[in-house]
Amino acid sequence: HDTHNIPLQRSHVLLLIAVAALIALVLGYLLAPWLERFFTPPRLAAQVPIEQPGLKTVAPKPAARAPLSATTLDQMRKLAEDGDPSAQFSMGTHYAIGDGVKLDSAEAARWFTKAADQGHVLAQDLMGAYYEVGRGVPKDLRKAYFWSLLGSAGNSQTSKHRVVTLAASLAQADVEAARKDAEEWTHQHSTAAKSVAPATP
């Protein structure tokens, strides 16, 4: 009998590739918050050169080292709910890959957003990717650009690349609006960071 080949639209193929790359990215980031604690010198984020005009790097709020002692998902969730950005990122990762919980992209995006809004660069980078492909959130290239600008200011290489590709897809007005939002976010969070005492080792 005849075999029918079902043609795939180029956009579908690109979306599949993007989602596959995103999953690989999340898996790669799974242990990053803990590895950062051992291999990143204190206050390194503040020393990173800024490539985005008008944006300053915002170091994440000082976090307790409690996530290292969390041995169960419930303990990690409690830390995340208490505002620890590393724990929030970890919860997002669990939901993103279905590790110990039902896979839920919307819940993953919720936790990643919480961490990103505290200056967690990896979470900012992921939210840029999530908004770019519409994973767990409605597809929104302007928001993807906004989060990628912040991730880029934190020296995320994938965010730097995404900023370039997104800028080519957005109207100039959207680019400028997203830049303004990023500058305002940075100003607000820089001001808030000054009122937080440095973490003690």
Side-chain angles (χ1 to χ4, degrees), residues 68-198:
L68 291 174
S69 64
T71 56
T72 69
L73 190 60
D74 286 341
Q75 290 174 332
M76 186 64 68
R77 186 185 301 277
K78 177 66 167 61
L79 291 169
E81 289 171 348
D82 287 344
D84 186 288
S86 293
Q88 290 168 344
F89 180 83
S90 178
M91 287 303 302
T93 303
H94 279 285
Y95 279 104
I97 62 177
D99 180 20
V101 294
K102 183 178 178 180
L103 192 150
D104 188 333
S105 296
E107 188 68 4
R110 186 176 77 85
W111 285 113
F112 286 144
T113 299
K114 286 179 178 292
D117 203 40
Q118 294 198 70
H120 196 293
V121 175
L122 299 181
Q124 291 171 340
D125 182 41
L126 276 177
M127 287 315 300
Y130 267 43
Y131 275 111
E132 183 180 23
V133 300
R135 181 180 176 86
V137 290
K139 183 174 180 177
D140 188 326
L141 296 186
R142 179 171 154 179
K143 287 185 178 179
Y145 189 72
F146 164 79
W147 284 117
S148 297
L149 279 174
L150 295 178
S152 180
N155 212 32
S156 163
Q157 296 304 312
T158 51
S159 283
K160 288 180 180 180
H161 176 72
R162 193 181 305 111
V163 162
V164 174
T165 58
L166 286 172
S169 303
L170 286 166
Q172 188 60 32
D174 287 330
V175 169
E176 293 303 323
R179 283 186 179 277
K180 183 177 179 180
D181 289 344
E183 289 170 7
E184 183 178 333
W185 184 97
T186 302
H187 175 72
Q188 290 177 349
H189 287 72
S190 294
T191 302
K194 292 178 182 177
S195 65
V196 179

Side-chain angles (χ1 to χ4, degrees), residues 16-99:
L16 288 173
I17 293 173
V19 171
L22 186 60
I23 291 173
L25 187 67
V26 171
L27 287 172
Y29 285 163
L30 180 59
L31 296 178
W34 291 273
L35 294 176
E36 280 185 82
R37 295 176 185 274
F38 294 104
F39 298 109
T40 302
R43 304 186 67 81
L44 178 61
Q47 303 165 13
V48 175
I50 307 305
E51 296 189 3
Q52 298 301 326
L55 292 183
K56 299 177 182 177
T57 299
V58 177
K61 291 180 182 177
R65 295 182 179 272
L68 291 174
S69 64
T71 56
T72 69
L73 190 60
D74 286 341
Q75 290 174 332
M76 186 64 68
R77 186 185 301 277
K78 177 66 167 61
L79 291 169
E81 289 171 348
D82 287 344
D84 186 288
S86 293
Q88 290 168 344
F89 180 83
S90 178
M91 287 303 302
T93 303
H94 279 285
Y95 279 104
I97 62 177
D99 180 20

